[in-house]
């Protein structure tokens, strides 16, 4: 029997977002600003929560960890994309490509579980307020964050176990600005259609089920808030609205890309930009604009350091 001998490609070529020089300059300026603002906004939330004693509560502890994940999520591919706008030959090594897939699924998997934890926190605070301090103890909060990272790690490893053993010997062009599972798996030298559909839609189904669970939990919370007309209920409604906007922005693109994979690469590019650049950028704005405590603490922190 003839033995198949596959030689692995040393690098992948990234097509990026566009070939237009004018658009590349525009995207370079725009995404550079978005990235800097993302880093500044999320770092400011982290610093404010850590340095403000009255923000040392479960909700803000989880919020600060969300900011940390958003910093990571916006940094695994965006800096390279910005630098590649001026590169004539946009390439990434095989190891670098696999690393991007690993980091993407690590951070997104972690954020999914963290968003569920934040929903659980709001559910306990609003639906079972008398037991809140007992249930959401410091030990439980740390456990939720550690669990988030563990689940993210297990999820990304379950994706890489299969892709690392695939032979990549032929085409090496990735029609995006970073390596992602739906695109890279198609470049293998064997028929991966069934495996690809299974792996990619598994991620999509996980995201969809998580979103539905979050939707149900927020509906329960909103019904509870409706039955209590007070200033506190109004504040709780504002907080839950902020949380749900973030959930919708994060899960929407993920569900579309992974539940209906291999459809339209242009749409996938736009959605990839949304959840890797715009969502981490908008999260700090949503939380600070809709949360009086965070706004007040930020103003106090800024004034203190200016003086």
């Amino acid at each position: 029997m003839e033995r198949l001998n596959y030689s692995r490609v040393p690098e992948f070529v990234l097509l990026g977002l566009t070939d237009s020089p004018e658009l590349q300059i525009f995207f370079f300026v725009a995404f550079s600003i978005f990235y800097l603002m993302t880093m500044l906004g999320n770092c400011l939330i982290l610093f404010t929560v850590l340095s403000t004693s009255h923000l040392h509560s479960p909700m803000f502890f989880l919020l600060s960890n969300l900011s940390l994940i958003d910093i990571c999520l916006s940094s695994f591919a965006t800096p390279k994309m910005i630098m590649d706008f001026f590169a004539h030959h946009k390439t990434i090594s095989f190891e670098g490509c696999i690393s991007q897939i690993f980091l993407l699924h690590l951070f997104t998997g972690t954020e999914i579980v963290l968003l569920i934890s934040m929903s659980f926190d709001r559910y306990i605070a609003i639906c079972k307020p008398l037991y809140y301090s007992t249930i959401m103890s410091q030990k439980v909060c740390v456990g939720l964050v550690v669990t988030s990272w563990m689940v993210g790690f297990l999820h990304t490893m379950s994706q890489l176990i299969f892709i690392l053993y695939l032979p990549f010997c032929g085409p090496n062009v990735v029609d995006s600005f970073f390596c992602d599972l739906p695109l890279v798996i198609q470049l293998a030298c064997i028929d991966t259609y069934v495996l690809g559909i299974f792996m990619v839609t598994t991620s999509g189904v996980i995201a969809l089920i998580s979103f539905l669970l979050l939707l149900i939990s927020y509906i329960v919370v909103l019904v509870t808030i409706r039955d209590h007309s007070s200033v506190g209920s109004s504040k709780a409604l504002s907080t839950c609205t902020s949380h749900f906007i973030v959930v919708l922005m994060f899960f929407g693109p993920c569900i579309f890309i992974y539940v209906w994979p291999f459809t339209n690469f242009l749409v996938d590019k736009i959605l990839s930009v949304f959840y890797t650049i715009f969502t981490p950028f908008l999260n700090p704005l949503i939380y600070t604009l809709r949360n009086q405590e965070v706004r007040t603490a930020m103003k106090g922190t800024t004034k203190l350091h200016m003086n």
Side-chain angles (χ1 to χ4, degrees):
M1 182 181 293
E2 183 181 357
R3 183 183 177 184
L4 295 177
N5 184 20
Y6 294 111
S7 59
R8 194 185 71 185
V9 295
E11 64 182 16
F12 291 97
V13 177
L14 301 174
L15 294 184
L17 292 176
T18 179
D19 292 329
S20 169
E22 293 79 12
L23 283 177
Q24 286 184 357
I25 294 174
F26 170 76
F27 285 147
F28 171 80
V29 175
F31 291 146
S32 295
I33 294 173
F34 276 124
Y35 180 68
L36 291 174
M37 294 298 291
T38 298
M39 298 299 289
L40 179 62
N42 284 291
C43 286
L44 185 58
I45 286 181
L46 269 173
F47 182 76
T48 301
V49 172
L50 290 174
S51 61
T52 308
S53 58
H54 72 270
L55 294 183
H56 293 173
S57 64
M59 183 180 76
F60 292 110
F61 174 74
L62 296 174
L63 173 60
S64 64
N65 279 275
L66 178 65
S67 292
L68 176 61
I69 296 175
D70 281 339
I71 290 172
C72 297
L73 186 59
S74 63
S75 299
F76 87 97
T78 305
K80 176 170 175 53
M81 178 193 67
I82 292 172
M83 292 187 292
D84 279 351
F85 281 126
F86 294 108
H88 295 289
H89 194 52
K90 304 176 179 65
T91 61
I92 184 171
S93 67
F94 180 86
E95 292 77 12
C97 185
I98 297 300
S99 297
Q100 284 193 340
I101 296 174
F102 172 82
L103 293 174
L104 172 64
H105 287 270
L106 171 65
F107 299 143
T108 52
T110 303
E111 184 156 342
I112 285 175
V113 181
L114 187 63
L115 289 172
I116 293 174
S117 301
M118 295 175 73
S119 169
F120 176 73
D121 170 73
R122 290 301 83 202
Y123 170 79
I124 298 298
I126 294 169
C127 299
K128 299 181 182 297
L130 296 179
Y131 302 97
Y132 181 74
S133 58
T134 303
I135 297 175
M136 296 302 296
S137 63
Q138 183 178 7
K139 184 177 179 180
V140 170
C141 291
V142 172
L144 289 173
V145 172
V146 172
T147 301
S148 299
W149 284 99
M150 288 178 62
V151 171
F153 179 77
L154 292 174
H155 166 68
T156 194
M157 289 306 297
S158 69
Q159 304 293 304
L160 288 185
I161 284 174
F162 292 100
I163 199 171
L164 285 175
Y165 288 98
L166 293 176
F168 293 94
C169 58
N172 65 337
V173 178
V174 178
D175 191 9
S176 185
F177 60 94
F178 67 90
C179 292
D180 196 5
L181 190 62
L183 302 175
V184 174
I185 199 171
Q186 297 178 79
L187 303 178
C189 299
I190 59 174
D191 184 6
T192 59
Y193 182 78
V194 176
L195 177 63
I197 291 293
F198 171 74
M199 291 176 62
V200 175
T201 53
T202 297
S203 296
V205 170
I206 291 173
L208 181 60
I209 292 174
S210 300
F211 175 73
L212 292 176
L213 290 174
L214 285 166
L215 181 62
I216 293 171
S217 69
Y218 280 115
I219 289 175
V220 172
V221 168
L222 290 175
V223 170
T224 304
I225 292 173
R226 186 192 63 182
D227 296 335
H228 298 80
S229 301
S230 65
V231 177
S233 296
S234 177
K235 179 182 175 182
L237 177 62
S238 177
T239 302
C240 288
T241 303
S242 302
H243 285 205
F244 189 72
I245 291 173
V246 170
V247 166
L248 193 61
M249 289 194 309
F250 177 78
F251 279 95
C254 290
I255 291 171
F256 185 90
I257 290 174
Y258 290 100
V259 174
W260 294 282
F262 317 137
T263 51
N264 188 310
F265 287 138
L266 177 60
V267 174
D268 284 355
K269 283 183 182 182
I270 296 171
L271 293 175
S272 296
V273 168
F274 196 87
Y275 78 81
T276 59
I277 297 175
F278 290 151
T279 299
F281 167 75
L282 292 172
N283 282 357
L285 294 179
I286 293 171
Y287 281 113
T288 53
L289 288 175
R290 299 188 65 88
N291 194 297
Q292 181 63 40
E293 288 180 271
V294 176
R295 291 203 306 270
T296 304
M298 281 185 171
K299 289 178 183 178
T301 302
T302 304
K303 289 180 180 179
L304 179 64
H305 285 273
M306 288 181 63
N307 295 331

